[in-house]
Amino acid sequence: MIKFAFGFAWMVIMLWSCSTDPGKVGLDLLPTGDLVNVKNLTETNIKAYAVTDGHQRTDKTAYNLLGTLNDPIFGKTTADFACQFRLSYFPDFSKDAQPDSIVLYLYYKQLYGDTTTQQHFRVYELGSDLSYNSKYYQDENLKGYAKPEILADYSYTPKFKLDSLTNYYGSTKAKPKDTVYQKIAIKLDLSLANYLMSADSLKLSDNDLFVKYFKGLYVEASELNSGGSIMKINTTPHQYTVGQQTISEHGSYLVLHYHNSEKDSLYYSYGITKNSAARVSHFVHDYSTTSFSSSLNADISQENLIYLQPTGGLRAKIMIPDLGYWSKMNPELLNDKDTTKLVINRAQLVFTIDPEYIDTVTFLPPERLLLAAIGPGKSKVFPDQDSIYYLSDYTFSPAYFGGYYNSSDHTYRFNIAKHMDDLLEADEKKRKQNLGFYLETLSKNTTFNRVVLTGTKGIRLEVTYSRLN
């Protein structure tokens, strides 16, 4: 049986010995005298197919995407969202209180596309309930949840301003990617302010009753015929860690400005809370003008390019026909059936961004890709899709598994030695089937970084193996 070499100890060496000759990694762990030699092979018999990526969940995210983008490669995408608002405390509107204005504030730091094309947004009050505990997907008809009356018709040109240098992905001294917050302030029709202030004390004392009374808002992005961008809206306040640094980000909110006979310039804020307010994104993709539209979801090998796009957009189906047959991948061992003394030191699947489509300024590539194996049968949740599972290498250690963007050579690399071992397992009952993979972007419901990879002729599997006496 071909063995997955060296376990955790070897993984540590791999992670800390990037400059070491890969053909020699782990050799000092083998018993003296047992090693005959170490060899390398590169498998290039790999096929790739363009596949649409439906059924993307879009609920309970910290960010929601908003805007319309006409991508020169990927066609048109429109992103909008709906959300609930929660009471922060009991609003004591006196009997003589009068509304002055009501404003929806949306905050963002990141955008994808240009900053010259004006976007158009419409805001509606929801007439149907959203449920925090329900699952929603990218094709949910959010417009169908909304009342017909338009609360705001607003035009906005996205902004991007660099701030200080941080260790965010893609940030360098020459091209810092940290940005300042930008604020979209959308003034809504005063009828909504009157409606909120007319709620009785019972509805204003309980959040569950309040979201039945005021079900939330739907923010719609209008069509654009050219240009555009997608903004990453900070919907909820949250924290995350970058290295040793904890980053706190505030969320978006709704503010009711009012006055009474005693005081002027009063206000009340309605927040979008992470653990109780429902928020749902809606994505629409139009590939009719793209060069690859005719080959989507067809068994046609993409000889030249692989297109990957988040938001329920595009993924790739990858097939390596000989991956489960060592003798086919390594003709040298064709007549040698004894594989018990073969050890896989490393197996790395390499994808490269196509040189013609490297644009790390306007279209920054995804920070990380995800590779999942195709299982037997169809998905239990979505019978129209293949079942998938995470590779053993990923469950062993996501950091070891890889898939991160390497800006020095514009590649994404996955370590799949353990998966190869699963496919080459001598025990038929334990052996995994070689049914292929799906390659896609990570964080598909909250980011819009897409990428074009060199296709079938540019993918390679690099294997380093040892043969023992």
Side-chain angles (χ1 to χ4, degrees), residues 196-210:
L196 292 174
M197 294 181 71
S198 65
D200 59 43
S201 58
L202 180 61
K203 294 183 179 67
L204 295 177
S205 63
D206 183 272
N207 260 312
D208 291 336
L209 294 177
F210 176 71

Side-chain angles (χ1 to χ4, degrees), residues 41 57 238 374:
L41 68 87
R57 276 191 67 175
H238 59 281
I374 300 175

Side-chain angles (χ1 to χ4, degrees), residues 20-281:
T20 303
D21 182 350
K24 298 180 180 179
V25 171
L27 302 189
D28 56 331
L29 298 180
L30 297 174
T32 304
D34 281 356
L35 180 64
V36 173
N37 54 30
V38 176
K39 294 189 177 183
N40 302 293
L41 68 87
T42 300
E43 174 69 9
T44 57
N45 181 22
I46 302 174
K47 302 181 184 299
Y49 305 89
V51 183
T52 52
D53 183 18
H55 306 302
Q56 174 61 54
R57 276 191 67 175
T58 64
D59 56 278
K60 296 186 179 69
T61 58
Y63 305 93
N64 289 89
L65 302 179
L66 179 64
T68 299
L69 170 64
N70 290 275
D71 190 297
I73 307 300
F74 288 77
K76 181 184 293 186
T77 295
T78 301
D80 42 39
F81 69 95
C83 62
Q84 293 176 331
F85 294 86
R86 309 287 282 187
L87 298 165
S88 51
Y89 56 88
F90 181 79
D92 186 15
F93 299 126
S94 61
K95 291 184 179 180
D96 65 345
Q98 296 295 319
D100 296 317
S101 64
I102 184 166
V103 183
L104 174 63
Y105 293 98
L106 303 176
Y107 288 85
Y108 69 94
K109 290 180 69 174
Q110 300 179 35
L111 63 87
Y112 206 77
D114 68 59
T115 56
T116 59
T117 306
Q118 192 176 67
Q119 297 275 346
H120 301 278
F121 305 126
R122 290 191 178 92
V123 182
Y124 303 83
E125 181 186 353
L126 295 180
S128 300
D129 293 316
L130 291 177
S131 171
Y132 177 80
N133 295 316
S134 295
K135 295 179 180 180
Y136 296 93
Y137 297 86
Q138 90 278 357
D139 55 355
E140 190 75 32
N141 180 20
L142 297 181
K143 186 73 173 286
Y145 286 70
K147 294 180 179 179
E149 296 80 16
I150 299 175
L151 294 177
D153 193 333
Y154 185 78
S155 297
Y156 177 78
T157 302
K159 302 174 183 178
F160 179 82
K161 183 179 179 181
L162 294 176
D163 196 358
S164 59
L165 178 66
T166 72
N167 55 357
Y168 286 166
Y169 160 64
S171 186
T172 65
K173 289 183 178 180
K175 298 179 180 179
K177 294 296 188 296
D178 188 23
T179 63
V180 298
Y181 276 110
Q182 301 296 338
K183 179 173 67 176
I184 308 174
I186 306 177
K187 189 175 182 179
L188 307 182
D189 192 274
L190 205 59
S191 62
L192 180 61
N194 286 316
Y195 179 70
L196 292 174
M197 294 181 71
S198 65
D200 59 43
S201 58
L202 180 61
K203 294 183 179 67
L204 295 177
S205 63
D206 183 272
N207 260 312
D208 291 336
L209 294 177
F210 176 71
V211 296
K212 289 291 184 182
Y213 179 74
F214 173 50
K215 303 179 188 303
L217 296 175
Y218 167 54
V219 185
E220 179 187 42
S222 300
E223 286 282 326
L224 291 175
N225 293 323
S226 63
S229 60
I230 302 291
M231 289 165 284
K232 186 176 181 179
I233 304 297
N234 285 50
T235 316
T236 66
H238 59 281
Q239 290 185 335
Y240 61 94
T241 301
V242 178
Q244 301 297 317
Q245 184 181 14
T246 299
I247 308 295
S248 296
E249 295 191 341
H250 57 73
S252 300
Y253 48 86
L254 180 67
V255 179
L256 170 58
H257 299 271
Y258 68 100
H259 69 275
N260 57 32
S261 57
E262 297 179 355
K263 293 183 179 180
D264 199 1
S265 301
L266 299 172
Y267 68 90
Y268 184 86
S269 296
Y270 303 86
I272 309 171
T273 54
K274 178 181 178 181
N275 297 320
S276 56
R279 58 270 181 199
V280 181
S281 289

Side-chain angles (χ1 to χ4, degrees), residues 69-77 223-226 285-294 296 307:
L69 170 64
N70 290 275
D71 190 297
I73 307 300
F74 288 77
K76 181 184 293 186
T77 295
E223 286 282 326
L224 291 175
N225 293 323
S226 63
H285 300 284
D286 181 2
Y287 300 117
S288 60
T289 61
T290 65
S291 61
F292 54 79
S293 61
S294 61
L296 283 177
Y307 303 91

